[in-house]
Structure formats: structure tokens, C-alpha cells
Amino acid sequence: MYLGIDIGTSELKALLLDEQGEIVASQHATLTVQRPHPHWAEQDPHAWWQATCQVVAALRQQAPQAWSSVRAIGLSGQMHGAVLLDKSGNVLRPCILWNDTRSAPECDDLRVRHPEMMAISGNMIMPGFTAPKLLWVARHEPEIFQKVDKVLLPKDYLRWRLSGEFVSDPSDAAGTLWLDVAKRDWSETLLAATDLRREQMPRLVEGSAVSGVLRASLATEWGLSADVVIAGGGGDNATSAVGVGAINPGDALISLGTSGVIFVVNDALQADPTSGVHAFCHALPARWHQMSVMLSAASCLRWICNLLGVTESQLMAEMARLSDEEKRRAPIFLPYLSGERTPHNDPHATGSFFNLRHETCRALLGYAVIEGVTFGLADGMAVLGTARDTITCCSLTGGGARSPLWAQLIADVLQVRVVTHPASSSGALGAARLGWLAKGGEEQKVCRKPPVLHAFEPDDARHPWLAQRLALFRLLYQQQQQARELLPG
């Protein structure tokens, strides 16, 4: 039996996987994000540990026999977060998250002072990445920066609590801007750019390799054997790709979680830092991937539902009753509630509606939101370069994958076949699979594609008017850039 744990932004998920590749049990715990200032997004790492203990207790109760036979643990987590520990292992401040954009000025400075950063890391310098966050801490919280003994990513903080080992993997480390992505190793040059040293970083192992063993005290407390190993694991999107069997060149997935991601597998590093496309290591050895990322996706739907006082399922049901003619007259929504990454790298971008009328109902607002997020995905797809031409089918994962309406809309806008899998096909599943591989599982057996739940083919009749609305969406973003100059703050 294999345990997979995934630290998301809104929840921590965990599941048990048997040696037939079937999910035996799953649990989750809710997490919250603190936003004490504009552009800030933080979480308390202790909350991740509390959530872990909560789901462990629930899994033990749900499937006691399966739980007792766990042989390995795999970890997945939200990327880019900066967990800072002192020499005693104390957390120095709340974790600065991936969607925190406070370090935009530090990014500007790094571009000017360290142009080698993009060449070595293979990625554009963006506020979401970890390196600019540490530069921000050095400038604004110098007393904390001086105490930093270890910089960990979210899942690697959890690993330390589980095993006492400071370890990360190349897929997660690639999102820090400190990794030489081609060599899959820390770069002394890039670390020095933010006044850090290799010894302050965790050592690196591949995602499918053993990184440590569960602490003896925890094994006893949790009713597990003393030889449970912990796999290297991976960043959330790389592990989700392992979960849906996207491990070969050309395999692709779309994730509709808090953020929105298009992910395509490569057999070699294909970096184009100027495009805003991320070029990272995969969670499996000798593979890389390209990824476009928008900062607000399903979180936009949660936002509008909270404003309207309606559940997501209720609003989706109302949207499903809209005719195509009504959708063609819907408002246009810019989904940049947290700024944006690919392709704009614009931390100051904001959300907005265009073309509101007295007769605009809440179903049309909801449709505009999911359409705007889909148009943001289309902008990301457009800059994927030659990798875009290799994509013939995308697995759809994340909370948004539960909506057939949204899945069909993505197929229509991107003009690509979209398939969904059972709801539990997630980062937690990929993490459990990496744990299985660390125990000697065969990749071909472990990483097979899960069953297709639904398939959505592009509707050629809808594409022309959706393309017109996409063109308007892009024009409105350009106009918003000009209008923002007149707004305070």
C-alpha cells in the first residue's frame, strides 16, 4: 500500500493506493490563505502539518487494514512557496506563496543585475518564483533573513516533519530560479544572486527515488512499520501528470485548480524564457516539461459564487441552461484577480467585466468567468511554441474538471480533445505512484493512464464566435493596461 499526500493551496489531500493501482481510501482537509496586504498571499506551515495529522487519522479510521500495510509515502505540493527555518528548525515567518506578487520590484532588480538568471534557470523572472521572495525578505525583513538556515518548499517542509531530512526534487526546485534546469542541480551562481549558499538548500533526489525513512516515533504513533520510505515526490503539476500517466513526450494535461495550467511533457529541456512559458524538470528522471500558468482559474469561480451568494454547483446548473446565443452576448471577463503569469508576467493586472447590462443575469456572469479563464488558457497555449503542435489530447484535472460545461468550453476554445478521469486522479495519486516507484515498482505498470471518465471533442460550430470573443478579450487586456495608469495604487 502507498500513501500519497498533496499540499494544495485550498486543501491538503491524501490517498491510499494498492498494488493493483486502485485507490482504496482518500481524505482531505481544508486550508486557508492569509492576505494581510494587497499582493500578499501566505500560509502557516504548521497548518499543513495539522492538516496532515488530520487526514492521517481519517485514513486510519476509514481503512485500518490498508493503512497498516503502507510501505512508502510520496509527496506533492504547491510550488514556489518560501518556508524559512532557523538553525533550530523554527519557522521564521509565514510561507510566502506562489500567488504572492509583492516581489515585483525585486524581479526588476534581478533582471538588471543578474541577466544570467534566465539563461541558467531557463525561465523568466517572475514574482511567483522563490528567489525574488528571498530578496524581498532580505530587504524588508533583514533580521529574519539573517537567521535563515534552510529554505524549503512546502512539500519539503512536510518531508522534514516526516523524516528529519532536508531534501527536495528537481521538478519542485526548478520553480525557485536557483536550479540549473538542464543539469537538474542547484546553481551556485543563481544562489549567490540572492546571497544564499548551497548548504541552505535541501539536497536533491529524483522524484521516484528514496529521500528518507519515516521517523521511528511517527511510525509508532501512526501504527506503521519502521521501514516506510519517503519518495522524492514533486511539484503539484508534475505529480498530477504522473497521476494521469502524462510521462512521455507530447503527453499533456490541463489543471483547473486555484491556478490554471497547461502542461506538456518533453524529452529534453525546451526553454524560452522570454515567452513566459515555464521550462521545468519532470518528476521522473531524464524528462522535462513546459508549462503555461495563470494565477487565478477555479478560484475565479469561487470568487463570483461568494459575491453572488450561490454555490458553484447551482451556478453551473444555471449556466448549463444558457443557449449559445445568450452566451454570445455575455460579458467579457478578465480573470486576473491575482495578477498574471503566462504570457503577460503582469503582477499588476486586475480582473474586470465588460459589457454589463440591466438584463445581465448571474448565470451570464458565471459563464463569463469560466470563459475568461478559458481564454487565459488559450493565451498560454499560444506561446507554447513547437510543443503546442504535439498536443492532440489533454487530460483535465483539478476541481474545474468536475464540470462538463467547462470541459467542453475548453475543447471548443483550444480546439483539442479533452478527457477527464475519476475525481481522485490528482497530485495525491501521482505522489503515491512516486512512492510506489521508490519501492521498486515498474514505471510502465505504475504510471499507466487512468480510465477516461468523459471525452469532449471540439465543436467546430462554436469555435468561430468564441474566436471573436477571444480577440475582444485580448484587446480589453491591452486597454486595461493603459487604463491602470490612471488608477490609484
Side-chain angles (χ1 to χ4, degrees):
M1 201 66 61
Y2 305 98
L3 171 63
I5 302 174
D6 176 33
I7 305 176
T9 311
S10 59
E11 65 179 5
L12 183 144
K13 308 167 197 171
L15 59 80
L16 296 175
L17 188 72
D18 66 20
E19 294 207 350
Q20 286 68 52
E22 299 297 325
I23 295 166
V24 174
S26 63
Q27 293 288 336
H28 72 276
T30 301
L31 299 170
T32 59
V33 176
Q34 288 73 53
R35 299 182 183 276
H37 303 287
H39 302 291
W40 287 35
E42 299 182 336
Q43 284 180 328
D44 180 1
H46 295 108
W48 304 332
W49 181 246
Q50 292 168 355
T52 300
C53 294
Q54 179 182 334
V55 298
V56 162
L59 284 172
R60 290 184 70 179
Q61 184 174 9
Q62 182 184 359
Q65 186 172 355
W67 173 263
S68 64
S69 62
V70 166
R71 303 171 61 210
I73 300 173
L75 301 175
S76 167
Q78 50 172 298
M79 297 179 68
H80 317 303
V83 182
L84 309 181
L85 303 183
D86 66 14
K87 290 183 179 179
S88 300
N90 299 308
V91 176
L92 290 168
R93 67 169 332 281
C95 175
I96 306 176
L97 301 187
W98 57 273
N99 52 352
D100 185 295
T101 58
R102 76 183 77 173
S103 62
E106 285 70 30
C107 289
D108 293 338
D109 288 352
L110 287 171
R111 289 186 201 101
V112 172
R113 291 169 38 231
H114 297 283
E116 74 279 6
M117 182 166 271
M118 290 204 300
I120 298 173
S121 73
N123 289 278
M124 185 180 286
I125 300 171
M126 297 181 173
F129 292 162
T130 322
K133 295 178 173 68
L134 267 292
L135 189 56
W136 183 93
V137 172
R139 290 178 173 177
H140 297 273
E141 299 173 347
E143 70 287 354
I144 289 177
F145 186 80
Q146 291 302 317
K147 296 178 183 177
V148 173
D149 183 65
K150 283 290 185 294
V151 181
L152 299 180
L153 295 161
K155 80 171 195 317
D156 302 323
Y157 171 78
L158 183 57
R159 182 199 322 277
W160 174 67
R161 295 294 299 262
L162 291 169
S163 69
E165 299 285 346
F166 293 114
V167 182
S168 190
D169 80 290
S171 75
D172 215 359
T176 63
L177 291 180
W178 292 314
L179 195 79
D180 185 323
V181 179
K183 296 180 180 178
R184 303 172 83 93
D185 190 21
W186 298 119
S187 164
E188 310 280 357
T189 300
L190 298 186
L191 287 167
T194 51
D195 294 323
L196 292 169
R197 306 176 308 280
R198 179 181 285 265
E199 52 265 35
Q200 292 173 288
M201 298 296 114
R203 65 183 174 88
L204 296 172
V205 303
E206 291 291 345
S208 55
V210 175
S211 69
V213 179
L214 185 65
R215 293 176 188 261
S217 58
L218 274 179
T220 301
E221 180 183 343
W222 287 358
L224 296 175
S225 68
D227 59 352
V228 173
V229 304
I230 301 173
D236 51 2
N237 290 296
T239 50
S240 291
V242 172
V244 298
I247 63 172
N248 297 312
D251 289 344
L253 69 85
I254 296 171
S255 173
L256 276 181
T258 301
S259 62
V261 170
I262 300 178
F263 179 112
V264 58
V265 182
N266 313 124
D267 57 3
L269 177 63
Q270 296 186 27
D272 180 10
T274 60
S275 70
V277 172
H278 306 341
F280 293 162
C281 305
H282 204 335
L284 296 170
R287 270 154 284 192
W288 287 258
H289 67 87
Q290 288 167 282
M291 188 166 69
S292 71
V293 178
M294 56 188 304
L295 293 178
S296 300
S299 54
C300 292
L301 181 60
R302 279 196 303 275
W303 167 78
I304 194 65
C305 287
N306 288 337
L307 283 183
L308 298 175
V310 62
T311 66
E312 293 178 22
S313 58
Q314 287 174 327
L315 192 58
M316 279 292 189
E318 293 175 18
M319 287 186 235
R321 293 194 287 269
L322 294 171
S323 67
D324 282 355
E325 187 57 36
E326 289 173 309
K327 294 173 187 175
R328 292 176 69 169
R329 298 196 302 270
I332 298 287
F333 176 69
L334 298 183
Y336 311 128
L337 300 182
S338 300
E340 192 53 303
R341 278 204 204 170
T342 314
H344 305 304
N345 190 24
D346 184 355
H348 303 295
T350 57
S352 62
F353 282 105
F354 172 78
N355 197 35
L356 294 173
R357 300 177 182 273
H358 281 293
E359 60 268 26
T360 301
C361 62
R362 71 183 188 183
L364 285 174
L365 289 177
Y367 172 77
V369 165
I370 68 168
E371 184 191 63
V373 172
T374 306
F375 287 161
L377 291 172
D379 278 349
M381 179 74 87
V383 293
L384 278 176
T386 56
R388 176 184 55 194
D389 301 328
T390 69
I391 299 173
T392 58
C393 179
C394 284
S395 292
L396 183 62
T397 67
R402 293 191 292 266
S403 168
L405 173 66
W406 207 343
Q408 184 62 57
L409 181 60
I410 292 170
D412 294 340
V413 170
L414 300 187
Q415 288 289 280
V416 66
R417 186 173 190 257
V418 172
V419 299
T420 60
H421 306 285
S424 53
S425 298
S426 64
L429 173 57
R433 287 180 165 189
L434 291 171
W436 189 355
L437 291 173
K439 266 294 191 180
E442 296 180 10
E443 185 178 293
Q444 187 174 1
K445 175 185 176 183
V446 173
C447 298
R448 63 182 184 271
K449 295 183 184 298
V452 171
L453 199 59
H454 300 290
F456 302 87
E457 303 292 342
D459 186 332
D460 293 338
R462 289 197 185 102
H463 185 68
W465 60 266
L466 285 168
Q468 290 178 339
R469 289 176 62 82
L470 174 58
L472 178 57
F473 170 89
R474 289 168 171 164
L475 176 62
L476 289 171
Y477 169 71
Q478 295 172 2
Q479 293 179 342
Q480 185 203 70
Q481 284 183 297
Q482 299 171 0
R484 283 206 315 266
E485 297 177 4
L486 303 177
L487 292 174

